[in-house]
Amino acid sequence: MPEPTEARPRWAVWASEAVAPPVLAAVVPVAVGAAVGGWRGAGVAAAGAAVAVVPGLLLVLGLVRRGRVVDHHLSDRADRPRVLGAAGVGVVASALLVSALGAPAGVRVLFAAMAALLAVVVVVSTRWKVSLHAAAAAASLGALVVALGPWALLGVPVVVVLAAARVRLGAHTPAQVAVGLALGALAAAAAALAG
């Protein structure tokens, strides 16, 4: 279980919020879209990101408000499959939307990879609480490296701090974070090969 609020270091809380999966799912596609398709690519990616993020985020926040889930990070593993599965509908819809809007190949592949990664995390979460934060961070970094080149590797310290934060907060074990990082890296590699 996570530590009581008063014992939680601010840096770890801040990192977990600033680099949370919905934040990455909103920002990274726009950066990739801009890199591979200019303003049009960024616009189409922004539309896809809105469809991917907003419904799922509203669902989670609504469930938290009603006391149906513990918190917006879905700390209770039992909540994850059904909530992430429902939120995944928005991610799949976003992948279909960017394809229908004629997004550049890099954007289409990114959204397909997001949907596939979420599906894998949902399946794994039925048995084990893999870190979605770590998976999203690693996949996002990989997507940025493919789209922007080696300069994106400057984001590695952000991923390391996030991974340490999730462990420090007691949200995940080191193994859960490591597996999340591996799944995210695999998703990014698969997307790069498909693109």
Side-chain angles (χ1 to χ4, degrees):
M1 266 331 257
E3 295 181 31
T5 304
E6 62 275 358
R8 296 161 46 119
R10 285 187 181 160
W11 70 268
V13 172
W14 185 87
S16 288
E17 296 299 336
V19 194
V23 173
L24 294 172
V27 173
V28 171
V30 177
V32 169
V36 301
W39 286 106
R40 184 177 187 294
V44 171
V51 170
V53 173
V54 173
L57 191 56
L58 291 175
L59 169 68
V60 170
L61 294 176
L63 290 171
V64 169
R65 191 173 313 117
R66 286 186 234 125
R68 308 268 316 269
V69 298
V70 176
D71 62 25
H72 66 286
H73 290 298
L74 301 175
S75 296
D76 185 349
R77 182 190 58 78
D79 293 333
R80 290 173 157 227
R82 67 183 169 87
V83 176
L84 292 176
V89 172
V91 177
V92 170
S94 70
L96 297 172
L97 175 66
V98 297
S99 278
L101 293 176
V107 173
R108 292 192 314 269
V109 169
L110 174 61
F111 279 95
M114 287 169 56
L117 179 60
L118 185 58
V120 169
V121 169
V122 167
V123 170
V124 172
S125 290
T126 62
R127 300 278 182 208
W128 196 55
K129 190 180 165 196
V130 66
S131 175
L132 184 55
H133 277 75
S140 295
L141 181 61
L144 290 171
V145 168
V146 170
L148 304 175
W151 283 102
L153 290 172
L154 292 172
V156 168
V158 174
V159 175
V160 171
V161 168
L162 172 69
R166 300 308 289 156
V167 172
R168 179 63 180 89
L169 291 172
H172 294 286
T173 65
Q176 291 166 338
V177 169
V179 169
L181 291 170
L183 288 174
L186 285 171
L193 291 173

